[in-house]
Each structure stands twice: as structure tokens, then as C-alpha cells.
Amino acid sequence: DAGVIQSPRHEVTEMGQEVTLRCKPISGHNSLFWYRQTMMRGLELLIYFNNNVPIDDSGMPEDRFSAKMPNASFSTLKIQPSEPRDSAVYFCASSSRSDTQYFGPGTRLTVL
Amino acid sequence: AQRVTQPEKLLSVFKGAPVELKCNYSYSGSPELFWYVQYSRQRLQLLLRHISRESIKGFTADLNKGETSFHLKKPFAQEEDSAMYYCALRGGTYKYIFGTGTRLKVLA
């Protein structure tokens, strides 16, 4: 298994543009998490899906952020419009039931 | 409030010296505690969890409920231990709360 797959690995965009980050969880895992990593705040949980359903989105910063999980093997995190303060590394992680989380390699987002 | 505190952003030690990465938590129930590690250019990965009570790569961590701490220790640091270390708490079935991380630098 290739583990959790994220794309793109790096994204540079200009303020105001739409950004879409993608994640493919490990096959068979029914929980998916999106995190944001910054120097100041460390790792913050943005949203949690269980069986493709959003369970907790209390960490989503504002309406500019949205996430979807149309099926068990794919999720997206969208930022529209993007702002410079959104620059961070975004991680996707998956797990099965109460097992530990497995992280993807992350997407480094830079908003100019 | 649920919180994980890692007071040190950066910890530098010499090779062969003991290492202790501090982690304190705040949680009203019985949490599960973890240490995750991120080596340079690699993905975040689980190092150890308190329920396993195991030693991984020479690291150990003991949950001290009285002091609400879960410090990570290693008696003799090695250069390959240089990485970013995150302490995490899981309360309930899914929600993980991570600390802000400590960067460990092991000097030759």
C-alpha cells in the first residue's frame, strides 16, 4: 500500500485564486482528517470525516474553506478565495476505527 | 479545555546526551497519549502510544496522570533522532489534539 496520497505536493498561487487540495486515504480506512500545520500553531485539525460524512468541521477557519468526501477513496479541501495567511502545510490522515492515524506527505501551500 | 502543551520549540543536545521532550496535557477524562515524529522530508508518523508501554528507537514515555504529563525520553541521543516531535492526545473516539511540536537537534 502506498499509504495516504496527497496532491499536489507544492502549490503556489496568488491571493484570490481558488486552491484545491486532494487526498486519497488508505484503502479500508473509514476515517479521514484534514490538518493544517504552521510554525505558530502547530498541527490543527480542520475537519474529520467518518464513512464519508463530515462529523466535525469546527476547525475550519472560515467560509472560504470547504471539504468534501464524495467516496471512500477521495477527499478534497478547497480554499476560495485564498489569502496569504492560508500559507501552510496541509496534511491529510486516515485511520480505521480506533486505530492510529496515518499521515500523507502533505501539501505545502504558498499564497502570494 | 482540552490542550496539549509542548513548552520547548527547539531542543538542542549533544550526541550521547540524555533527551527529554516535555509534554503536558489538559483533559477532563482518560485520554490516550501519543508521540508522533516527523523526520526531514518525511511524513508524520507514530512513534509510540502510552497504552503500548513500549520502547521505540530507544525512546520511552510514561503517562503521569498526577502531573498530567507524557514526557518523551531517551538515555543517549543519536544524530538520526533529529526531527520534529509532536505530542498528541486523543479524547473520545477520534479527535486528536496536537501540541505545537518540539524540534530536536542532536549535535555531533
Side-chain angles (χ1 to χ4, degrees), chain A residues 2-4 33 35 37 39-43 45 48 55-56 58 91 97-101 103-105, chain B residues 9 32 34 36 38 41-46 49 84 86 90 93-101:
Chain A
V4 176
F33 307 79
Y35 290 91
Q37 182 188 43
M39 288 287 289
M40 291 301 296
R41 301 170 70 101
L43 268 170
L45 177 66
Y48 158 65
I55 303 298
D56 183 350
S58 59
F91 287 101
R97 298 187 67 82
S98 60
D99 194 10
T100 186
Q101 295 188 7
F103 282 79
Chain B
K9 279 196 178 301
E32 192 171 355
F34 304 81
Y36 279 81
Q38 187 176 23
R41 296 188 178 86
Q42 294 187 28
R43 60 186 71 191
L44 201 66
Q45 57 188 285
L46 178 67
R49 55 201 302 181
M84 193 76 177
Y86 288 94
R90 181 170 70 189
T93 56
Y94 71 88
K95 189 155 189 173
Y96 282 73
I97 299 167
F98 284 82
T100 50

Side-chain angles (χ1 to χ4, degrees), chain B residues 21-63:
Chain B
L21 301 172
K22 291 184 167 48
C23 173
N24 288 89
Y25 67 90
S26 173
Y27 186 74
S28 57
S30 294
E32 192 171 355
L33 274 297
F34 304 81
W35 276 99
Y36 279 81
V37 61
Q38 187 176 23
Y39 299 103
S40 178
R41 296 188 178 86
Q42 294 187 28
R43 60 186 71 191
L44 201 66
Q45 57 188 285
L46 178 67
L47 180 62
L48 53 80
R49 55 201 302 181
H50 89 269
I51 59 171
S52 300
R53 299 188 65 81
E54 57 193 345
S55 173
I56 305 292
K57 299 185 179 184
F59 285 98
T60 60
D62 291 318
L63 180 60

Side-chain angles (χ1 to χ4, degrees), chain A residues 39-90:
Chain A
M39 288 287 289
M40 291 301 296
R41 301 170 70 101
L43 268 170
E44 300 173 280
L45 177 66
L46 299 177
I47 187 168
Y48 158 65
F49 290 89
N50 185 250
N51 293 324
N52 312 338
V53 176
I55 303 298
D56 183 350
D57 65 355
S58 59
M60 296 287 264
E62 49 198 274
D63 291 346
R64 298 184 298 107
F65 285 69
S66 63
K68 293 182 180 179
M69 192 164 186
N71 56 62
S73 58
F74 183 66
S75 176
T76 60
L77 177 68
K78 186 178 293 187
I79 307 173
Q80 165 63 20
S82 58
E83 297 182 3
R85 60 193 168 118
D86 302 330
S87 297
V89 180
Y90 291 82

Side-chain angles (χ1 to χ4, degrees), chain A residues 13-19 64 79-84 86 111:
Chain A
T13 190
E14 293 188 344
M15 183 173 64
Q17 296 298 306
E18 177 180 296
V19 175
R64 298 184 298 107
I79 307 173
Q80 165 63 20
S82 58
E83 297 182 3
D86 302 330
V111 183

